[in-house]
Amino acid sequence: MAWDTYARQRPERRPVNAAGERTWFNWTQYPDHGPGAEVLGVRPGQRVLDLGCGKGGNLAHLAALGARAVGVDVSPAQLSAAPERWSDAGLVLYRREALEFLTADAGADFDAVYSVFGAVWFTDPVRLLPAIRARLRPGGVLAFSQRPPVEGCYGCQASYINRSENEDPLVVRRWDYELDEWRGLLTGVGFHGVRAQVIPAPPGPRKIGTVLVRAVA
């Protein structure tokens, strides 16, 4: 599976961040950079869903803040690693595709849904965004982050996950749009208060920023 291969290539989350905290929330591809969990505005006792939760680092931080934390991922390798690190966090994790979970699970709705370089990037938004909207309580927040699109390369694109030098890379699909397109897609399915921005990269040689989008149901 492509995402198991990806999981094995990812470095482990650091024991603590630059501030010495055991849990933290990171929207960007750079450590100790950008906004944190305040983007979601989740309060203790509220129910939050991570679409593409990976090994659960961001989700564990929300649980530490008192949220009822639910995560969904398709990778067994990712999900099996989460309890090893966050056994005391009380995370509820499912091995499901995001769209399948949202449409097939008729359980309680959510106060916030988010994706950090996760399922919102790798699922057709024409299908996914209405499904998310349907599972958010009134006033609930959707937020997601991903890399900005390459100029001129919009819509469904190929994304490659490298394997060994003797194997061809694995291919997954991702959806890239400019900020105005994301605003239109979200308002078109009933979201309001849409804020879309590119967070600049931190000082240094790397220049690619991070798209961060927030909308209210």
Side-chain angles (χ1 to χ4, degrees):
M1 176 185 287
W3 295 116
D4 280 347
T5 300
Y6 175 80
R8 289 189 288 269
Q9 296 171 358
R10 294 292 298 165
E12 293 298 320
R13 195 174 177 97
R14 297 165 293 161
V16 297
N17 65 4
E21 299 162 328
R22 181 175 174 266
T23 67
W24 65 94
F25 201 108
N26 204 158
W27 291 101
T28 82
Q29 62 268 48
Y30 305 106
D32 307 305
H33 173 65
E38 69 276 2
V39 171
L40 295 170
V42 174
R43 299 188 299 275
Q46 290 189 320
R47 197 163 183 255
V48 60
L49 173 64
D50 185 340
L51 296 177
C53 63
K55 299 176 182 177
N58 285 324
L59 198 61
H61 181 66
L62 294 172
L65 297 178
R68 291 181 290 162
V70 179
V72 177
D73 205 284
V74 296
S75 167
Q78 296 270 49
L79 291 174
S80 64
E84 296 174 10
R85 176 75 180 269
W86 311 112
S87 59
D88 59 344
L91 307 183
V92 179
L93 304 175
Y94 297 90
R95 184 190 170 195
R96 302 275 285 278
E97 291 187 349
L99 189 60
E100 178 191 5
F101 177 85
L102 290 164
T103 56
D105 182 349
D109 291 338
F110 296 92
D111 299 287
V113 175
Y114 72 92
S115 166
V116 178
F117 291 71
V120 174
W121 201 10
F122 297 100
T123 309
D124 183 354
V126 172
R127 301 176 65 202
L128 183 65
L129 295 181
I132 295 173
R133 177 67 181 81
R135 296 298 301 276
L136 275 169
R137 293 172 177 147
V141 171
L142 165 64
F144 58 91
S145 64
Q146 58 196 60
R147 286 189 179 87
V150 175
E151 185 176 357
C153 299
Y154 307 120
C156 185
Q157 305 289 316
S159 190
Y160 295 94
I161 298 174
N162 291 324
R163 295 190 283 180
S164 72
E165 61 182 21
N166 296 319
E167 296 177 290
D168 290 333
L170 297 166
V171 182
V172 296
R173 293 182 297 174
R174 70 176 194 272
W175 276 261
D176 289 334
Y177 294 106
E178 293 185 303
L179 300 184
D180 282 344
E181 183 71 15
W182 280 119
R183 294 185 187 103
L185 287 166
L186 287 158
T187 57
V189 297
F191 285 95
H192 62 92
V194 181
R195 299 204 308 261
Q197 61 178 310
V198 175
I199 302 170
R206 297 182 62 184
K207 303 303 180 186
I208 297 176
T210 306
V211 168
L212 177 62
V213 181
R214 182 185 190 275
V216 180

